[in-house]
Amino acid sequence: MEAYCVKCREKREIQEPVAAYNAAGAPVTKGTCSVCGTKVYRMGRTDAHEGLPKPEISRKKEIKRKGKLVIVESPAKAKTVGRFLGKGYTVRASVGHVRDLLRSKLSVDVENDFEPRYRVPNEKRDVVNELKKLSEKAEAVYLATDPDREGEAIAWHLMEAAEIEEDRTHRVVFHEITEDAVAHAFAHPRTIDMDLVDAQQARRILDRLVGYGISPILWKKVRSRLSAGRVQSVALRLVVEREREIDAFIPDEYWSIDADFLPEGGKTSYRAKLAKINGNDPELGSEDAVNKILDDMRESVYTVDSIKHGKRRRNSSAPFITSTLQQDASRKLGFTAKKTMSVAQQLYEGIELDGQGTTGLITYMRTDSTNISDVASNEVRNYIKDKYGKEYLPKVPPKYKTRTQSAQEAHEAIRPTSVMRKPKAIKKYLSRDQFRLYRLIWQRFVASQMNPAVYKTLSVEIIGEGAENAYLLRASGSQLEFPGFLVVYEEGRDEDQTEEDEADSDTIPIGEIKEKQKQTLEELYPDQHFTQPPPRYTEASLVQALEENGIGRPSTYAAILSTIQNRGYVVRENKRLEPTETGFLVNDLVVEYFPSIVDVNFTSHLEDDLDLIASGEADWVEIVREFYGPFSERLAHAEEEMPEKKAELQKVGRECPKCGHDLIIRWGRYGKFISCSNFPKCRYTEPYLEKIGMTCPECGEGEVVRRKTRKGRTFYGCSRYPDCDFTSWKQPVPTPCPNCSGTLVIANKRDVQCMDCEKTFLQDKVLKESEMA
């Protein structure tokens, strides 16, 4: 029998061989080198091992574990939670997800129950390795990721990637980062909820199947860098269909008639509106029809038919959920959905306050529940009673119906963690955006727990008897009697929404009017109108439409809006969402070849199926299989039948300075740019400048162009930059300032403001006077 001798550096015959077992329990033969006498041994069982007792295998020394490891998503959250837990706890941040599907491949085995293939990205390997080392030394590991499906999935991926034993892993959930909430969560840990993990995993896999299935077809048939998503495609369809409604809209002419009356023996006139003609709604579609009515009304006799007094109660809105927060922040603060969620995340994770350390200011901001905890309810009720008085406090705390049937009732609405942290008191610790959003959340929450506003209402009906027709005119108004919640907050409105007519009832001389009293007609006011097309979506109204149709969930709204804009399918102009040519093209192809993907009802039902998975009532593999069968057939059909619809190259109207070919507009990763049509032979490019039709007011040579910052914010500058550094966040107009001849910019829908003297003017008046000059 031979063995390798390290001294002779070759195999030698074993002298005096002895059969044995090593420390690991493996059979070996020991001996010495027959040439030099050096000890040698050889691995492997021999006949000599038969009957030889096998030694007990020495076990590895057990690791002495000490302390507790807590893993959260963000460093800010880690800092806040760590302060509450104190000694004995090590708090670390995973910085979001630590595993995901491979980016370069589908990473879903459609032949094997859609098994996903996860990978720790290169940029997360150091984080995972550190968490793995820390977890090995800890006696217990607490996964304190966010209290939703995404957070549950992150917790599961952390346990898998860092190889943390299940019996040492605890899941803790809190909806606000306060000392009491954190202490309660750690006193009641649970295991990871695999139903929630499966629901998130099913959503991720469905989105991957759709995106990685349709997108390559669009690259081939239309152009590269396009994408289609399971939910983003529905949002795009809503925007495109609204634009087509607007384009197809034909306005109808209609007229209204107001009248000024003076009560018999009275001194004060008032205005009423024509409501009925011969008991029917007025149909005044032309000026000729109106003139005939006016002639008859002028000769009619008018008397008061009835005077009705009443009261109207206006209830406060529910505390914020994710969708309503995004909507109101858009209307009142001008925030995009993405910005709203970013700032809310900062408020949730914690802000450094003097004497209090890093403190979470609001509850979790991804929620669809309007519930309020008893502790928060008692605190705000005491505050309302002390601040405003008993008359502002309802006898019973208000309860609001949750909009979404699938809302997670264990969650709470978005509210301040303590109503006693009044916005003004902590303003100095917050950035401007943080303060404005916190104030909005604080005001909405307090108002939601207050009594309704009460209005006194008045309605006067006047009957007119004419030679040809009988007329009913109505004067109405309301007067605020008790402000209620309005002392704190009033919900924002879209520009398209018309506020209820709440004219002060003092304008109607109620002391001079009596029933059956004659009224003298003083003047008639005919007014021509045209029906208006439906408005383009704002981010706020699109989120509302998605929510009403059951599309997406609180954690997805901001991502949906960002995606359709980043892909170049939709642009945001003056807060309105307009589809681009590419958006129309992609939508039409997806609608034709993948109708179920962009069907609102189908997508809504799929969201319901995900909710069933989350509640343990459905199997995620079966849901995905049911979807993928018909979808894969559609993919094959589209691959064969979808025609090539390359978007026509838009010429700039100039020649390439390098080779003389036409310059054209192309789409890249970051939007439009100008390139040579002779690409790839000629690689000349230049930025795309969107001109607004105005000469630069600073240098007088360049043109004012619309640009975007790296974060997507629109601003205006000179096309000669950097030679001219004129910039403005607001759109300039060619008309000079009437006061100082400076540059005017559009301040809002109604006003323009001078950049030099800062005076404000009515937009319509200034621009009309400029046209007439």
Side-chain angles (χ1 to χ4, degrees), residues 5-241:
C5 177
V6 294
K7 190 172 182 179
C8 298
R9 295 189 177 181
E10 62 179 282
K11 287 185 177 182
R12 299 292 191 189
E13 190 71 24
I14 299 176
Q15 190 172 350
E16 299 177 359
V18 177
Y21 290 93
N22 64 15
V28 297
T29 301
K30 298 179 180 180
T32 57
C33 175
S34 59
V35 176
C36 66
T38 300
K39 288 182 180 180
V40 294
Y41 77 94
R42 173 176 172 165
M43 298 289 294
R45 176 177 289 277
T46 65
D47 293 340
H49 286 88
E50 293 296 327
L52 190 68
K54 191 174 182 179
E56 289 188 15
I57 300 171
S58 61
R59 297 182 180 276
K60 289 183 179 180
K61 188 177 180 180
E62 288 189 8
I63 300 172
K64 288 186 178 180
R65 296 192 167 100
K66 183 181 178 182
K68 298 171 182 177
L69 174 66
V70 181
I71 306 176
V72 298
E73 297 103 313
S74 73
K77 188 175 177 180
K79 186 178 179 181
T80 311
V81 172
R83 183 172 68 83
F84 294 141
L85 294 175
K87 292 182 180 180
Y89 290 88
T90 300
V91 186
R92 289 290 185 271
S94 68
V95 196
H97 275 281
V98 295
R99 287 201 315 177
D100 199 2
L101 302 172
L102 279 73
R103 295 171 188 157
S104 58
K105 300 178 181 178
L106 177 63
S107 298
V108 177
D109 189 349
V110 296
E111 303 296 332
N112 187 25
D113 287 341
F114 306 96
E115 183 179 344
R117 182 184 174 192
Y118 294 112
R119 174 181 178 272
V120 177
N122 293 337
E123 63 271 17
K124 286 298 180 73
R125 288 184 179 177
D126 290 343
V127 173
V128 170
N129 288 335
E130 183 194 9
L131 295 176
K132 186 176 180 180
K133 290 177 183 177
L134 290 171
S135 67
E136 287 174 350
K137 298 175 182 177
E139 58 181 305
V141 180
Y142 292 87
L143 303 176
T145 48
D146 286 345
D148 56 13
R149 293 179 199 169
E150 200 74 18
E152 204 74 20
I154 291 174
W156 177 70
H157 283 298
L158 279 166
M159 187 178 75
E160 293 287 315
E163 300 176 6
I164 307 169
E165 293 93 336
E166 194 171 339
D167 60 350
R168 289 192 301 119
T169 303
H170 306 280
R171 175 79 169 111
V172 289
V173 173
F174 38 83
H175 300 279
E176 58 183 78
I177 308 180
T178 59
E179 192 164 3
D180 288 344
V182 171
H184 183 270
F186 277 79
H188 301 85
R190 60 170 172 80
T191 58
I192 290 176
D193 187 335
M194 287 307 299
D195 290 332
L196 295 179
V197 173
D198 287 344
Q200 190 276 342
Q201 188 168 238
R203 177 186 290 279
R204 188 78 181 92
I205 290 171
L206 285 168
D207 291 344
R208 177 58 68 99
L209 291 173
V210 171
Y212 277 51
I214 300 178
S215 297
I217 299 176
L218 295 177
W219 300 345
K220 181 179 177 182
K221 305 292 185 177
V222 186
R223 65 171 173 82
S224 62
R225 302 190 190 280
L226 297 179
S227 76
R230 186 180 60 85
V231 181
Q232 78 178 54
S233 297
V234 183
L236 174 61
R237 182 178 187 177
L238 291 174
V239 176
V240 168
E241 288 184 347

Side-chain angles (χ1 to χ4, degrees), residues 312 314 327-328 330-332 489-500 502 540:
R312 178 169 60 85
R314 180 178 171 189
Q327 291 164 40
D328 228 33
S330 173
R331 294 166 184 146
K332 287 195 165 187
Y489 169 88
E490 186 169 5
E491 187 176 11
R493 297 172 182 270
D494 283 332
E495 294 174 358
D496 317 301
Q497 289 181 300
T498 56
E499 194 161 356
E500 294 179 49
E502 292 180 0

Side-chain angles (χ1 to χ4, degrees), residues 27 79 101 108 126 234 236 302 307 318 326 352 383 429 454 549 593 599 646 697-698 721 731 741 745:
K79 186 178 179 181
L101 302 172
V108 177
D126 290 343
V234 183
L236 174 61
Y302 298 93
I307 300 174
Q326 291 175 359
E352 190 77 28
Y383 174 80
Y429 306 111
V454 180
N549 286 290
Y593 289 91
D599 180 77
K646 303 289 185 182
E698 192 161 306
Y721 177 84
Q731 182 174 341
S741 299
V745 295

Side-chain angles (χ1 to χ4, degrees), residues 585-598:
L585 190 57
V586 169
N587 174 74
D588 292 349
L589 289 173
V590 174
V591 167
E592 182 177 355
Y593 289 91
F594 301 95
S596 62
I597 294 299
V598 288

Side-chain angles (χ1 to χ4, degrees), residues 455-592:
Y455 292 86
K456 290 192 297 186
T457 61
L458 173 66
S459 177
V460 179
E461 292 191 344
I462 304 103
I463 290 179
E465 296 292 342
E468 296 184 14
N469 302 300
Y471 303 99
L472 173 66
L473 295 96
R474 188 175 290 124
S476 60
S478 61
Q479 185 177 33
L480 186 63
E481 182 179 54
F482 173 67
F485 73 92
L486 292 175
V487 297
V488 177
Y489 169 88
E490 186 169 5
E491 187 176 11
R493 297 172 182 270
D494 283 332
E495 294 174 358
D496 317 301
Q497 289 181 300
T498 56
E499 194 161 356
E500 294 179 49
D501 182 15
E502 292 180 0
D504 194 327
S505 61
D506 287 344
T507 58
I508 302 175
I510 191 59
E512 301 178 12
I513 301 178
K514 302 174 183 176
E515 289 189 0
K516 309 307 177 185
Q517 179 188 44
K518 288 189 177 182
Q519 307 292 299
T520 303
L521 177 66
E522 291 192 326
E523 188 61 72
L524 291 169
Y525 300 95
D527 196 5
Q528 183 184 34
H529 308 274
F530 290 94
T531 53
Q532 297 296 313
R536 290 190 176 99
Y537 283 110
T538 61
E539 285 203 354
S541 58
L542 184 56
V543 167
Q544 186 175 2
L546 292 172
E547 183 190 39
E548 288 174 351
N549 286 290
I551 306 300
R553 287 297 180 261
S555 60
T556 63
Y557 297 136
I560 293 167
L561 296 176
S562 295
T563 300
I564 60 176
Q565 292 175 71
N566 293 339
R567 295 292 181 186
Y569 299 158
V570 170
V571 293
R572 186 170 177 256
E573 294 293 343
N574 299 319
K575 297 185 181 180
R576 299 287 171 177
L577 301 177
E578 300 179 35
T580 62
E581 180 187 354
T582 304
F584 277 113
L585 190 57
V586 169
N587 174 74
D588 292 349
L589 289 173
V590 174
V591 167
E592 182 177 355

Side-chain angles (χ1 to χ4, degrees), residues 379-387 419-420 422 442:
E379 185 186 49
V380 72
R381 285 177 65 80
N382 288 332
Y383 174 80
I384 293 168
K385 181 180 176 182
D386 294 342
K387 174 72 174 175
V419 76
M420 303 314 293
K422 291 175 274 191
W442 187 93

